[in-house]
Amino acid sequence: MSKKISVINICNQHFKTLNIRDMVSFFGLPMVLVIIALMLDIRLVKETLSLLVSFGSIFTALLLSLLVLIFDQETKLDEKADLWNSNNLTIPLFKKRKELLGQLYSNISFSIICALILVIACLVLSQLLSYDSPSQLNIFMSKWLLNPLVVFLLTLTALNIFMILKRIHTLLTVKPEDGLISKRSSQVSNSKNDDDNEETLA
């Protein structure tokens, strides 16, 4: 595969932002729903697939705009850090915020990939379901491949969006100045307090 269209690096960077517990949540729950759908023989119809195509398209555009927002937030953070450094001050939570911004790049990019694959899978599945007399191969691919894939990607994309929303909220609500106030009020304490403050940027 051409390096210009390879997304392996994006996926690897996304997986690095997740711990074992996150892996279980983000990939275990979709698999459980896939198994339940297969056991109950739940199959998506063309009308639902059409809605999912719209869902994937809308959130792809939304997530692309979020990448611009993340870039803007990183630029502002760097500018504020330069200002504080000129006054011989160290910006609180700077490393954690920079790390979180970098992780968000990977999380959003991975979610865009999932949304794009979801749209493509829905389009292919919708086409297979459009035949009046589908072949055995079409039935097999629809039931055992594309239908589970759509359920898996839909759940995974939804979970990723919740995570991104939570992290965006943290970036926009937790200000570096809050860390400075906390740091000044706890100068007599040990360094563990600073670590606790930074853990809020999860």
Side-chain angles (χ1 to χ4, degrees):
M1 180 182 293
S2 172
K3 291 184 178 180
K4 294 185 182 299
I5 60 175
S6 175
V7 296
I8 295 177
N9 184 57
I10 295 176
C11 295
N12 289 335
Q13 291 298 321
H14 170 73
F15 294 147
K16 289 179 181 178
T17 68
L18 306 177
N19 55 36
I20 296 178
R21 183 177 179 179
D22 296 331
M23 288 285 192
V24 173
S25 300
F26 280 81
F27 295 96
L29 179 59
M31 285 302 303
V32 170
L33 293 180
V34 167
I35 294 173
I36 292 175
L38 288 173
M39 293 178 60
L40 299 179
D41 196 22
I42 299 175
R43 305 190 191 186
L44 301 173
V45 296
K46 290 188 289 184
E47 291 77 9
T48 303
L49 294 173
S50 178
L51 293 175
L52 291 179
V53 169
S54 300
F55 167 84
S57 302
I58 292 172
F59 275 97
T60 297
L62 175 62
L63 293 172
L64 285 171
S65 65
L66 273 179
L67 286 177
V68 179
L69 173 62
I70 296 302
F71 176 78
D72 180 65
Q73 287 293 313
E74 186 174 21
T75 301
K76 290 181 178 179
L77 182 62
D78 290 334
E79 291 175 352
K80 184 172 290 187
D82 293 338
L83 178 61
W84 285 38
N85 289 335
S86 64
N87 295 323
N88 296 322
L89 294 173
T90 301
I91 186 170
L93 308 179
F94 177 76
K95 291 183 178 180
K96 282 292 182 180
R97 289 171 70 87
K98 287 283 289 187
E99 179 184 356
L100 184 56
L101 286 169
Q103 291 184 3
L104 270 170
Y105 276 122
S106 300
N107 299 148
I108 295 173
S109 299
F110 180 79
S111 298
I112 292 173
I113 294 171
C114 291
L116 287 174
I117 298 176
L118 175 64
V119 170
I120 295 173
C122 288
L123 290 174
V124 175
L125 180 56
S126 180
Q127 179 63 32
L128 293 180
L129 295 177
S130 64
Y131 297 111
D132 295 330
S133 301
S135 64
Q136 290 298 320
L137 179 60
N138 284 2
I139 297 175
F140 175 82
M141 290 185 61
S142 299
K143 180 178 179 180
W144 299 102
L145 179 61
L146 292 174
N147 199 82
L149 179 62
V150 169
V151 173
F152 182 88
L153 289 173
L154 176 61
T155 309
L156 180 60
T157 302
L159 292 175
N160 284 331
I161 290 174
F162 280 123
M163 176 180 65
I164 291 169
L165 178 62
K166 188 260 185 181
R167 290 186 160 189
I168 291 290
H169 179 267
T170 301
L171 280 174
L172 297 178
T173 56
V174 178
K175 304 299 182 182
E177 291 80 1
D178 298 337
L180 179 62
I181 295 173
S182 177
K183 185 176 181 180
R184 286 178 175 175
S185 65
S186 60
Q187 288 179 344
V188 295
S189 302
N190 55 36
S191 60
K192 182 179 179 181
N193 291 331
D194 295 330
D195 295 335
D196 291 340
N197 293 332
E198 294 188 350
E199 286 300 325
T200 60
L201 298 183

